[in-house]
Amino acid sequence: MVGDNAGWYGPWPDLGDPLPGRLLTFPRDTCQWENAVANVGLRCYGQHVDNNMGPEMCFGRTLLDANISSRVGFVPVALGGSVLARDWAPSMNLMHQLTNMTRVAMQAAGAGARLRGMLFIEGEGSAMDLYNSPENPIAHTWADTFRSMVLQIRSDLAYLNPCLPVVMAVQRIADRNRVFPLIDVVKAQQQAVDMPNVFKADMEFWEMYPVDFTEIYGAEVGLQSIHFTASGSCDMGIALAQSFIGASDNGKVMECTPSPPPPPPPPLW
């Protein structure tokens, strides 16, 4: 999940605070489990900021409050500005990082740990003209690319969870369709995804703040809301968690028997 491009605007939600010993993260620069603080997405790249947050802390606390688990650990691999077809499709670099980091993190977590699910939030990059062409209309093929990504991840991590649940965010259109011209296409593609153990939460309802793009794209684009406020990011995390909790309560989370484990993972770098 990405926290490095969520902006500071308004009060800091209490749910965004650390919860030592219960909310954990596994940054790639240390490859050790440690207490999570807001912006685990930045921490995984050895950076830290204290004036913005992603959805992860509020997501984790909501799971804990629902007794889904006694502890929640994040394995962050998201990168701000990444694009599904360019970075996350099978054989792409971030896909390899995701599977390798998860293997190493789960080995370090020990026998009692379980890989319970994956969060995925993307769509803005896929909705930009810059990455779309008549020969490669990635916005219009978003759903197929997403399906391929999920199936590959489940195959690569079958020894941990072959039916890995994925909780995905469905993009917001309001006040964003000038800077992201194909955001309506991407949202329709995301709404059309229908896979077992894939659950959704809509970004449309949570607070974002305006950014002036006049100098970059001209007055015809002007103000657009591209990033969550701190409270909006927290609300999004809660909504993502509630999507998973609701599916669990209704018996919709499918369980599968893991396959035999592969050989030990190779060095990350």
Side-chain angles (χ1 to χ4, degrees), residues 236-261:
M236 187 68 234
I238 294 170
L240 290 164
Q242 288 175 339
S243 175
F244 181 77
I245 293 166
S248 298
D249 290 345
N250 293 320
K252 295 182 179 179
V253 178
M254 182 170 59
E255 300 281 350
C256 299
T257 302
S259 63

Side-chain angles (χ1 to χ4, degrees), residues 17-268:
D17 291 338
L19 197 59
R22 301 197 68 196
L23 290 179
L24 308 170
T25 189
F26 193 83
R28 71 174 192 170
D29 64 333
T30 64
C31 284
Q32 293 182 346
W33 285 101
E34 62 183 48
N35 290 320
V37 296
N39 265 319
V40 297
L42 273 183
R43 177 67 188 88
C44 91
Y45 292 101
Q47 304 175 48
H48 177 71
V49 295
D50 57 8
N51 66 344
N52 59 44
M53 62 184 295
E56 68 280 352
M57 304 298 280
C58 300
F59 172 85
R61 279 182 176 258
T62 303
L63 292 183
L64 293 173
D65 289 344
N67 294 316
I68 290 290
S69 180
S70 60
R71 293 191 297 175
V72 173
F74 303 111
V75 184
V77 292
L79 181 64
S82 59
V83 177
L84 174 62
R86 185 190 66 183
D87 301 301
W88 296 100
S91 80
M92 296 304 180
N93 181 50
L94 288 178
M95 167 72 86
H96 290 310
Q97 289 191 33
L98 185 154
T99 52
N100 287 341
M101 279 296 296
T102 302
R103 288 168 178 155
V104 173
M106 294 305 295
Q107 186 178 48
R114 294 173 57 199
L115 182 63
R116 299 289 298 275
M118 168 181 158
L119 289 179
F120 192 74
I121 306 175
E122 195 279 335
E124 292 95 338
S126 297
M128 298 178 72
D129 288 336
L130 173 66
Y131 300 116
N132 283 269
S133 67
E135 297 78 23
N136 190 25
I138 65 172
H140 295 269
T141 57
W142 196 98
D144 287 341
T145 308
F146 176 82
R147 290 187 191 98
S148 296
M149 178 194 72
V150 171
L151 292 175
Q152 186 65 56
I153 291 171
R154 287 175 175 170
S155 175
D156 290 345
L157 300 177
Y159 76 103
L160 294 169
N161 192 336
C163 298
L164 183 69
V166 179
V167 185
M168 60 176 283
V170 176
Q171 285 293 317
R172 166 176 162 160
I173 296 175
D175 299 322
R176 312 176 90 217
N177 58 340
R178 295 191 301 277
V179 70
F180 304 126
L182 298 172
I183 197 69
D184 58 332
V185 175
V186 171
K187 180 162 188 166
Q189 286 278 307
Q190 292 175 337
Q191 291 172 324
V193 170
D194 184 13
M195 298 180 69
N197 272 16
V198 172
F199 313 107
K200 305 175 187 179
D202 203 312
M203 292 170 53
E204 202 75 49
F205 312 108
W206 314 123
E207 184 182 47
M208 293 186 171
Y209 68 97
V211 176
D212 192 348
F213 288 94
T214 301
E215 290 189 9
I216 302 174
Y217 298 119
E220 63 273 18
V221 174
L223 292 173
Q224 290 278 266
S225 298
I226 67 168
H227 299 316
F228 284 117
T229 64
S231 60
S233 192
C234 186
D235 288 337
M236 187 68 234
I238 294 170
L240 290 164
Q242 288 175 339
S243 175
F244 181 77
I245 293 166
S248 298
D249 290 345
N250 293 320
K252 295 182 179 179
V253 178
M254 182 170 59
E255 300 281 350
C256 299
T257 302
S259 63
L268 287 178

